[in-house]
Amino acid sequence: MLTVPIRQLGEPERAAVERILDADPYAGAQIAERVAAHGLNWWRSDGRIYGYEPGRRIESIIWSGAHLVPVGATAPAVAAFADLLGAEPRICSSIIGRAEAVLDLWDRLGPHWGAARDVRPNQPLLVTDRAPMVPADPEVRLVRPSEVDQLFPAAVAMYTEEVGVSPLQDDGGRGYRRRVAELVKGKRTYARFAGDQVIFKAELAIITRRTTQVQGVWVHPEFRGRGIATGAMAAVVSDALRRVAPTVSLYVNDYNTPARRVYQRCGFVSAGSFATVLF
C-alpha cells in the first residue's frame, strides 16, 4: 500500500492519466492535448501533473503550470492537492475546471495565495456533436498567415474584454502574438472580414481526439446586435466537426446572455459547469 496519497506523475502512469482524462474529455481537454503532444515528463512541457492515489489506483489528477486544472477531483483529492500547492508560491495565472472542484480548491488555497483578481463561479460548459440547424455564414473562413496583422488587434480587444487585462502589458504582446500566429498557422482561427477589418473571430484553442474547445469568440462592437454571431458560430462548428474533432465544446460566463442564446441556436447542450479564478 502507498503511504503518500499525492505524487508527481510521469510516463509510467500515462495509461492511468489517460483513463481519467477520457472519463471527462471536456474538463480534461487542456491536459489531454498537452499529454498527447509532450507525454508526462514535465521538463518537456510547461507544467507538471500530480495524481491523487490513496490506494493502488490513481483517482484524480491536477495540472500545475501556467494554469491549475483539476480533473476527476474528489473532495479528498482537492484537499490533498491544496495541501501540496498551498505550501508553494503561486505560479499559475488561473484555476480552471469543473466548478465544484475549482471553488473548493480556491477556498483552501485563498488563505495561502491571497486575493484573486476575479472569481467566475458559474460558467456553463456546452457541447455539440452535430452540425447546426441554422445556416452557416459563408463569409467566415480560416485566417491566412498573411492576415495575422489584421487579426491581431481583434485578438487583443477580445482578450482584454474577456480577461480584464491587456495581453500587451508584460512583454509588449510578443508572446501573445506568437500564440495568435501559431493558431493561424495550425488552421485553428476563423474570422469574417469587412475589408481589412475583422468583425468576427473565434479559434479552436484546444484539440484532442475527443473534442475541440472553442475560445476567443468575439464580434466587433460596431457590429453587435445584428445577428452576425449565430451564422458565424454555425460556420465554425460545422467546419470543426467536419475537419477536426467529433465534438465541439466551450464554456461561457453565465451572465453573457446574448452569447448563450447564440450557442443554443447552434445546437450546444449543457455538459455541466466550469469555474475560473483569475489572478
Side-chain angles (χ1 to χ4, degrees), residues 135-144 147 189-195 197-201 223 228 231-236:
D137 185 342
E139 295 188 50
V140 172
R141 59 172 175 81
L142 290 170
V143 178
R144 305 180 186 106
E147 295 170 321
T189 303
Y190 301 85
R192 177 177 169 179
F193 290 83
Q197 184 179 46
V198 173
I199 64 172
F200 167 87
K201 67 165 287 292
F223 291 84
I228 289 174
M233 276 302 300
V236 172

Side-chain angles (χ1 to χ4, degrees), residues 224-225 229-230 233 252-265:
R224 292 174 188 174
T230 298
M233 276 302 300
V252 58
N253 292 317
D254 60 341
Y255 52 79
N256 193 343
T257 303
R260 294 179 67 178
R261 283 199 294 262
V262 167
Y263 302 142
Q264 184 179 31
R265 294 187 194 113

Side-chain angles (χ1 to χ4, degrees), residues 13 18 27 32 37 40 42 64 71 122 131 143 147-148 152-153 196 202 211 220 225 229 231 237 260 265 272:
E13 292 81 32
E18 290 178 343
L40 269 74
W42 68 268
S64 178
V71 181
N122 180 24
V143 178
E147 295 170 321
V148 170
F152 189 64
D196 288 335
T211 194
H220 193 287
V237 172
R260 294 179 67 178
R265 294 187 194 113

Side-chain angles (χ1 to χ4, degrees), residues 110-189:
H112 303 283
W113 286 358
R117 182 167 53 82
D118 192 14
V119 177
R120 301 176 183 180
N122 180 24
Q123 298 173 300
L125 174 63
L126 306 173
V127 179
T128 185
D129 62 358
R130 59 198 64 189
M133 299 295 290
V134 296
D137 185 342
E139 295 188 50
V140 172
R141 59 172 175 81
L142 290 170
V143 178
R144 305 180 186 106
S146 61
E147 295 170 321
V148 170
D149 284 346
Q150 294 100 298
L151 174 68
F152 189 64
V156 170
M158 176 281 304
Y159 186 101
T160 304
E161 185 176 327
E162 172 63 23
V163 180
V165 296
S166 171
L168 308 180
Q169 67 179 16
D170 291 332
D171 61 355
R174 290 186 296 275
Y176 186 62
R177 185 183 176 88
R178 283 194 298 271
R179 173 62 174 165
V180 170
E182 287 169 2
L183 289 170
V184 170
K185 183 179 180 181
K187 297 183 178 181
R188 295 186 177 205
T189 303

